[in-house]
Amino acid sequence: MCLACPTLASAHGFGALYNLPVPLWLYNWAAAATLVVSFLITIAAVAKPATATVVGKDLSGSIGLRLLRKPITLIRLLSLALLFLCIATGFWGNPDPMRNFNPVFFWIIITLVLTYLIALVGDVYAAINPFRTLTDGLRVIGIKNNAALFRYPEHWGVWPALALYLCFIWFELFGTGTPKSIAWFLLGYTLLNIIGVRLIGARDWFEHCEFFSVFFRLVAKMAPIDYRRGMDDAPGHLRLRWPLAGLLHERPAHISTAVFVLAMLSTTAFDGLKATKWWVELFWSDPTGLIKNIVGTEPAYSMATVMPWYIAWETFWLFASPFLYFALYLIVLWAGRKMTGSERRVKDLALDFSYSLLPIVLMYHITHYWTLILTHGLKVFSLISDPFGWRWDLFGTAYKFRAPIIPDMGFVWHSQVALIILGHIASVWIAHKVAIRVFPTRVSTMVSQLPMLVLMILFTIIGLWILAQPLTVELMG
């Protein structure tokens, strides 16, 4: 076990063994000390609350934005064309994922690169959403798919989007990963969007149910550009603001959004955890003897029989993870409420502070996946010339950028540590700014954040521990 031998570790995304320069517990202590010092500096330096007023420069009527409207229309059509290309290459292209356009473009460019781009420049997805472009196009040509058949219950919040998001993560972790399976997913999800818009209308569907829209909208709250697409034919909203300002001046309208934020964090942690030797052995060593009593032999000797149990076990923990994280989050808020004697409901506190977790979410996401952009993402330049894997060379790039870039393992580990700590420091600062607004006195503000600081330290230790665990062979690969 890596916990017993903390100097052994492997960076996720590579699987190569890497010896940490110092024991893992020293990293944990250093990270915890950094958060505590950051907390004390924040208390001393930040005295003004984060007001509820949105600040920044409104660019909605600027000449530049008006000039961009026609190119944005073309980009929307290109986005829709790329969706169709992913579906087509999945069904009729080369079955080898390394020679097919759709796995690299979908898993790397869309789920990774686009996420980080949105965190930097705003909700690009809201402007180019191919599913929205398609449903709007159907309305234009006379198919009244935007006339809702039912009124969406507001008390549902974004629970439908959360359910779809967890199903998507399950597909990512447990699906076959073949181009055809991705094509089936995209085709099915496209049809689901058309049906959803027909049932409850475009506004409610893309606001509450389409999980990519919800996911990217949350990520965009950290960006210095606040873009919100107008409904139907209404103009959009564009505002320039300070980075992370959206986390300070906004608050979820429904508790389901807070759970969605925790799901973004927990599923990333679970993705890292499920490939570790500790996690795999936890099931297959059968410490309770329950599986042996059921199948009559050791699990390792009857893998074909036990595998469905293993999948069910992992599925349970994947779907349970957001609610476990949320329960821990509520306990921390309850403790802060008790320590300050505040009369504010825990539910309200959960809404107040949920966006403060988003920097942690983003940095966890980056630390787990950024290496994949270097090892696999650059292949998109060659695959765009040969999307079907038929030995084409449409743009003269078919034989370029095919070799992966593998950074130094020491650099990977230390960048992961730095990013995790940076995300937690940002969250501590944001949470304190919000706390000044929520709690009446400076003392109660400080005391209320002590349990939250403990939670931040716990998340840091868990994140570093997962990253430091030796990986094992993927049983589902």
Side-chain angles (χ1 to χ4, degrees):
M1 287 291 183
C2 185
L3 194 59
C5 304
T7 56
L8 297 178
S10 60
H12 286 237
F14 291 99
L17 190 65
Y18 171 67
N19 295 321
L20 297 184
V22 297
L24 178 62
W25 64 267
L26 280 179
Y27 281 102
N28 288 333
W29 276 107
T34 302
L35 290 180
V36 171
V37 172
S38 301
F39 175 72
L40 295 175
I41 293 175
T42 300
I43 291 174
V46 179
K48 294 183 179 180
T51 64
T53 304
V54 178
V55 296
K57 183 178 181 180
D58 192 352
L59 303 176
S60 300
S62 64
I63 297 176
L65 183 60
R66 289 198 296 268
L67 293 176
L68 284 174
R69 283 176 182 168
K70 286 188 178 180
I72 286 177
T73 300
L74 295 176
I75 294 173
R76 287 172 182 164
L77 294 175
L78 176 61
S79 174
L80 183 60
L82 287 171
L83 170 64
F84 290 151
L85 179 62
C86 282
I87 295 173
T89 55
F91 283 129
W92 297 293
N94 195 307
D96 183 357
M98 303 304 294
R99 298 180 60 189
N100 195 299
F101 174 78
N102 91 352
V104 173
F105 183 78
F106 181 68
W107 291 123
I108 306 297
I109 304 303
I110 299 301
T111 64
L112 300 186
V113 175
L114 183 58
T115 299
Y116 309 147
L117 177 65
I118 286 173
L120 290 174
V121 302
D123 197 356
V124 177
Y125 182 79
I128 66 172
N129 183 342
F131 307 109
R132 179 70 184 276
T133 302
L134 177 61
T135 54
D136 285 352
L138 293 176
R139 177 174 58 87
V140 169
I141 64 176
I143 300 177
K144 303 296 184 180
N145 64 312
N146 274 31
L149 297 177
F150 305 100
R151 183 177 180 180
Y152 184 79
E154 291 295 327
H155 66 273
W156 283 13
V158 298
W159 290 120
L162 176 61
L164 289 174
Y165 174 74
L166 291 175
C167 290
F168 169 72
I169 297 299
W170 188 96
F171 171 74
E172 177 189 1
L173 300 182
F174 302 106
T176 60
T178 62
K180 183 170 288 187
S181 68
I182 297 172
W184 277 116
F185 166 79
L186 290 174
L187 179 60
Y189 193 63
T190 300
L191 295 175
L192 179 63
N193 274 271
I194 294 173
I195 295 170
V197 170
R198 181 71 180 95
L199 291 176
I200 64 173
R203 184 186 71 84
D204 286 324
W205 176 259
F206 291 107
E207 182 75 17
H208 302 291
C209 302
E210 205 272 290
F211 75 88
F212 282 120
S213 294
V214 175
F215 178 89
F216 289 130
R217 188 165 63 243
L218 289 170
V219 172
K221 294 189 181 299
M222 292 175 276
I225 298 175
D226 178 21
Y227 172 76
R228 305 186 188 190
R229 180 172 177 169
M231 289 299 161
D232 298 326
D233 298 321
H237 164 91
L238 188 68
R239 183 182 294 272
L240 188 65
R241 63 190 180 187
W242 289 104
L244 305 181
L247 310 181
L248 295 170
H249 305 300
E250 298 179 32
R251 178 177 183 267
H254 195 274
I255 198 66
S256 58
T257 303
V259 181
F260 198 107
V261 172
L262 270 299
M264 293 164 65
L265 180 61
S266 70
T267 53
T268 302
F270 182 81
D271 187 14
L273 179 66
K274 71 178 290 291
T276 64
K277 180 180 178 182
W278 177 87
W279 177 259
V280 174
E281 287 186 350
L282 181 63
F283 178 88
W284 291 99
S285 63
D286 192 21
T288 64
L290 177 63
I291 300 174
K292 181 178 180 180
N293 291 334
I294 294 174
V295 301
T297 184
E298 298 289 345
Y301 298 129
S302 54
M303 293 187 65
T305 303
V306 177
M307 187 58 69
W309 290 80
Y310 182 63
I311 297 174
W313 183 68
E314 291 206 303
T315 299
F316 169 79
W317 287 112
L318 170 64
F319 280 80
S321 65
F323 301 98
L324 294 175
Y325 271 53
F326 186 62
L328 184 60
Y329 175 60
L330 292 180
I331 291 172
V332 165
L333 295 174
W334 174 86
R337 179 176 179 269
K338 285 294 183 181
M339 291 171 65
T340 59
S342 172
E343 296 182 358
R344 195 168 182 81
R345 296 183 305 169
V346 173
K347 178 182 177 181
D348 291 326
L349 292 173
L351 295 174
D352 291 331
F353 291 99
S354 59
Y355 285 164
S356 69
L357 298 173
L358 283 171
I360 300 176
V361 171
L362 179 63
M363 292 307 173
Y364 268 55
H365 198 280
I366 295 174
T367 56
H368 278 81
Y369 303 122
W370 74 266
T371 54
L372 293 175
I373 298 175
L374 298 179
T375 57
H376 294 87
L378 295 179
K379 286 180 63 66
V380 74
F381 293 106
S382 62
L383 292 171
I384 197 67
S385 285
D386 186 20
F388 289 88
W390 291 347
R391 299 186 183 280
W392 293 351
D393 193 5
L394 298 176
F395 306 106
T397 61
Y399 300 98
K400 296 181 180 179
F401 302 104
R402 300 179 70 178
I405 298 176
I406 302 179
D408 176 73
M409 296 297 293
F411 173 77
V412 170
W413 166 256
H414 287 101
S415 67
Q416 290 172 329
V417 173
L419 288 171
I420 287 179
I421 295 175
L422 179 63
H424 283 81
I425 291 174
S427 290
V428 167
W429 177 76
I430 293 166
H432 184 71
K433 290 278 285 186
V434 174
I436 296 175
R437 186 177 70 231
V438 171
F439 294 95
T441 66
R442 191 176 181 88
V443 173
S444 62
T445 297
M446 181 186 68
V447 172
S448 72
Q449 291 305 289
L450 292 177
M452 185 66 78
L453 176 63
V454 173
L455 180 65
M456 300 289 186
I457 293 173
L458 179 61
F459 279 161
T460 302
I461 292 174
I462 291 174
L464 294 179
W465 180 81
I466 290 175
L467 289 172
Q469 293 303 294
L471 303 184
T472 188
V473 177
E474 285 281 0
L475 296 174
M476 293 303 298

